[in-house]
């Protein structure tokens, strides 16, 4: 999934850093989980994973990929709706995917508030999805909830289906990357008919634990081998940038406002988006959590200066800093031309003593 700060490209580097500590398995904590990529990777490497994020849609992904071990069978639901005729070797998930993809659209919350047709008589006209895709999202989301209410799917199966929807929606959203604005004209991507795409399943036999909580509330009860933290780097909060994925995941008919139809996010604000609060929060984590190694992913352009981070972490053990250069294409202030800029991803590695 496209997500600001997604660490997909850094996974091997993070792994090498972890291996260099001498720890090959044990408990890995990913407390700013986002796409859940990092947790998934370490789950596959044999770690027991604990993860959390303020965003509910991130929790949905964590439930499906981290806590859930393998592909659920959907036995009860398949008994009711049958396997899809198109699939030669049908799995429960594939048959249900076909079933969801063939649903008739309905005029639900997404259609009414985030499509051109649905908002035609409203003060703010929004164009996040085509009317057809908006209706389809509503139909799929409603069906998943109905199945859960009728106890035709268990909790694991519910989160797997929700995760498949959350992973699929960005392929059809009429945006340039985040949901804080929509495009005036339809991007060709948005015009394609929405379908739920297959997702990966991560098997295993460990009991993992995932949370939809502020990490700052969880750190006191933590005792782990690797505490990996990947907080936001700048003052842009995540919740408003991904508000539509959050609303599709929660599907709670929220009060929304303004040009973009933003939901409230007062309880999803991160201290790491505030220059002053960020260092205090980092200090709290480094001081109060129990861990053998704390690994902080950060960025040379982040709002916490390197010298403040170093000073804070140095108090609790031996600190090592690894810089990883990469080229970023950056728009100028008018956003109309691009230039290359070398910046550094950073891994601060603290061995607690
Ligand atoms: C840089 S992103 C993490 C990206 C992630 N490592 C990945 O690869 O997708 C930061 C994440 O931290 C979450 N976040 C920020 N403050 C938080 C807090 N106090 N507790 C839990 N999650 C928080 C945001 O919602 C966002 O998903």
């Amino acid at each position: 999934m496209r997500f600001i700060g997604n660490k997909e490209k850094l996974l091997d580097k993070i792994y090498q850093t972890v291996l260099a500590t001498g720890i090959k398995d044990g408990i890995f904590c990913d407390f700013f989980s986002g796409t859940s990529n990092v947790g998934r990777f370490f789950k596959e490497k044999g770690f027991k994973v604990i993860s959390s994020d303020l965003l509910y849609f991130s929790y949905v992904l964590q439930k499906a990929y981290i806590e859930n071990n393998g592909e659920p069978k959907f036995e009860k639901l398949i008994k009711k709706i049958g396997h899809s005729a198109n699939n030669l070797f049908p799995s429960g998930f594939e048959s249900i995917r076909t079933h969801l993809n063939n649903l008739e659209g309905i005029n639900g919350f997404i259609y009414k508030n985030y499509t051109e047709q649905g908002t035609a008589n409203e003060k703010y006209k929004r164009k996040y999805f085509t009317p057809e895709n908006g209706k389809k999202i509503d139909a799929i989301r409603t069906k998943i909830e109905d199945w859960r209410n009728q106890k035709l799917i268990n909790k694991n199966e519910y989160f797997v289906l929700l995760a498949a929807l959350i992973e699929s929606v960005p392929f059809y959203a009429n945006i340039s990357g985040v949901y804080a604005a929509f495009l005036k004209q339809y991007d060709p991507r948005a015009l394609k008919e929405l379908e739920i795409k297959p997702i990966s399943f991560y098997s295993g036999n460990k009991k993992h634990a995932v949370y939809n909580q502020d990490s700052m509330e969880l750190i006191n009860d933590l005792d782990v081998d690797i505490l990996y933290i990947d907080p936001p780097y700048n003052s842009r909060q995540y919740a408003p940038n991904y508000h539509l994925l959050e609303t599709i995941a929660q599907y709670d008919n929220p009060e929304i406002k303004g040009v973009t139809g933003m939901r409230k996010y007062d309880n999803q604000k991160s201290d790491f988006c505030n220059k002053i609060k960020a260092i205090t929060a980092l200090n709290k984590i480094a001081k109060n959590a129990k861990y053998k190694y704390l690994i902080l992913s950060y960025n040379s352009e982040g709002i916490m200066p390197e010298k403040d981070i170093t000073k804070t972490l140095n108090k609790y053990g031996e600190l090592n800093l690894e810089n990883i250069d990469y080229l970023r294409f950056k728009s100028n202030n008018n956003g109309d031309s691009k230039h290359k800029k070398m910046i550094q991803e950073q891994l601060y590695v603290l061995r607690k003593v």
Side-chain angles (χ1 to χ4, degrees):
M1 173 187 289
R2 274 179 81 186
F3 189 73
I4 298 170
N6 186 341
K7 292 298 171 299
E8 203 164 4
K9 291 195 178 124
L10 278 182
L11 289 173
D12 277 323
K13 181 71 204 146
I14 299 168
Y15 189 44
Q16 293 314 317
T17 302
V18 169
L19 288 182
T21 66
I23 296 174
K24 294 191 190 66
D25 50 22
I27 306 180
F28 182 94
C29 179
D30 178 20
F31 260 3
F32 297 80
S33 171
T35 59
S36 78
N37 273 333
V38 180
R40 277 184 246 178
F41 180 89
F42 281 91
K43 174 179 175 178
E44 283 202 299
K45 296 292 180 195
F47 285 79
K48 171 188 160 82
V49 175
I50 304 175
S51 68
S52 185
D53 201 285
L54 284 169
L55 299 172
Y56 182 74
F57 82 84
S58 165
Y59 175 70
V60 167
L61 302 177
Q62 294 168 56
K63 279 285 222 192
Y65 295 130
I66 310 270
E67 191 178 289
N68 168 48
N69 282 323
E71 181 169 347
K73 296 212 162 44
F74 296 95
E75 273 167 353
K76 234 175 167 183
L77 182 58
I78 289 295
K79 233 181 224 164
K80 180 152 171 96
I81 65 171
H83 273 298
S84 139
N86 313 342
N87 301 331
L88 205 50
F89 303 106
S91 78
F93 178 73
E94 273 309 304
S95 293
I96 289 160
R97 201 166 71 81
T98 308
H99 184 94
L100 290 173
N101 285 336
N102 289 333
L103 288 176
E104 269 305 308
I106 60 174
N107 296 359
F109 192 82
I110 300 302
Y111 167 76
K112 285 184 199 150
N113 293 292
Y114 298 101
T115 71
E116 213 178 4
Q117 222 177 63
T119 57
N121 299 321
E122 303 295 326
K123 178 173 172 200
Y124 296 112
K125 302 182 188 1
R126 306 190 186 104
K127 206 171 172 176
Y128 278 100
F129 300 105
T130 60
E132 295 73 23
N133 283 343
K135 285 184 192 178
K136 211 152 171 204
I137 293 171
D138 283 319
I140 293 170
R141 183 63 186 86
T142 303
K143 184 57 85 183
I144 296 172
E145 203 64 33
D146 286 351
W147 283 338
R148 179 71 191 130
N149 289 336
Q150 293 164 32
K151 302 204 165 31
L152 288 168
I153 50 177
N154 63 32
K155 259 197 175 160
N156 263 346
E157 293 165 342
Y158 174 73
F159 283 110
V160 161
L161 296 180
L162 279 191
L165 175 60
I166 292 299
E167 293 276 24
S168 303
V169 163
F171 288 97
Y172 306 94
N174 192 36
I175 58 170
S176 69
V178 293
Y179 297 79
F182 53 87
L183 301 172
K184 290 203 177 70
Q185 301 302 326
Y186 283 122
D187 184 285
R189 217 164 22 111
L191 293 169
K192 292 193 186 135
E193 189 183 341
L194 181 139
E195 56 168 60
I196 300 282
K197 297 182 184 293
I199 62 166
S200 307
F201 296 101
Y202 297 82
S203 50
N205 50 20
K206 294 215 162 78
K207 202 170 164 9
H208 308 280
V210 307
Y211 301 90
N212 178 208
Q213 241 172 288
D214 191 322
S215 301
M216 305 309 295
E217 294 164 6
L218 294 168
I219 47 164
N220 290 339
D221 302 322
L222 208 62
D223 190 353
V224 299
D225 295 291
I226 304 285
L227 172 53
Y228 172 75
I229 57 173
D230 183 18
Y233 309 143
N234 56 35
S235 53
R236 288 203 299 171
Q237 294 284 350
Y238 273 75
N241 278 311
Y242 295 96
H243 68 100
L244 250 174
L245 291 184
E246 192 66 7
T247 292
I248 293 169
Q250 295 206 30
Y251 215 56
D252 52 352
N253 293 313
E255 195 186 305
I256 58 172
K257 61 176 191 185
V259 185
T260 62
M262 187 82 73
R263 58 186 291 129
K264 286 195 180 129
Y265 59 95
D266 301 338
N267 54 2
Q268 290 176 307
K269 285 189 178 155
S270 176
D271 283 355
F272 283 94
C273 296
N274 176 301
K275 201 174 158 71
I276 295 159
K277 289 184 184 164
I279 277 289
T280 311
L282 179 65
N283 184 58
K284 231 177 176 175
I285 295 178
K287 184 177 174 198
N288 297 341
K290 289 199 191 83
Y291 51 86
K292 293 194 177 107
Y293 286 86
L294 182 153
I295 301 178
L296 164 69
S297 266
Y298 213 57
N299 183 298
S300 55
E301 297 202 320
I303 57 175
M304 292 190 287
E306 188 179 313
K307 67 170 180 17
D308 293 357
I309 297 177
T310 308
K311 193 172 155 200
T312 303
L313 296 183
N314 257 331
K315 289 189 281 187
Y316 304 105
E318 276 166 25
L319 185 65
N320 193 27
L321 171 59
E322 298 175 31
N323 282 303
I324 307 137
D325 288 338
Y326 77 97
L327 263 184
R328 195 173 75 183
F329 292 90
K330 217 184 162 200
S331 298
N332 68 9
N333 289 340
N334 302 322
D336 54 14
S337 85
K338 296 196 166 175
H339 63 272
K340 287 179 195 166
K341 188 170 183 213
M342 186 65 90
I343 56 174
Q344 283 150 348
E345 280 290 341
Q346 302 176 308
L347 290 176
Y348 293 82
V349 185
L350 171 68
R351 187 172 77 87
K352 201 164 198 178
V353 288

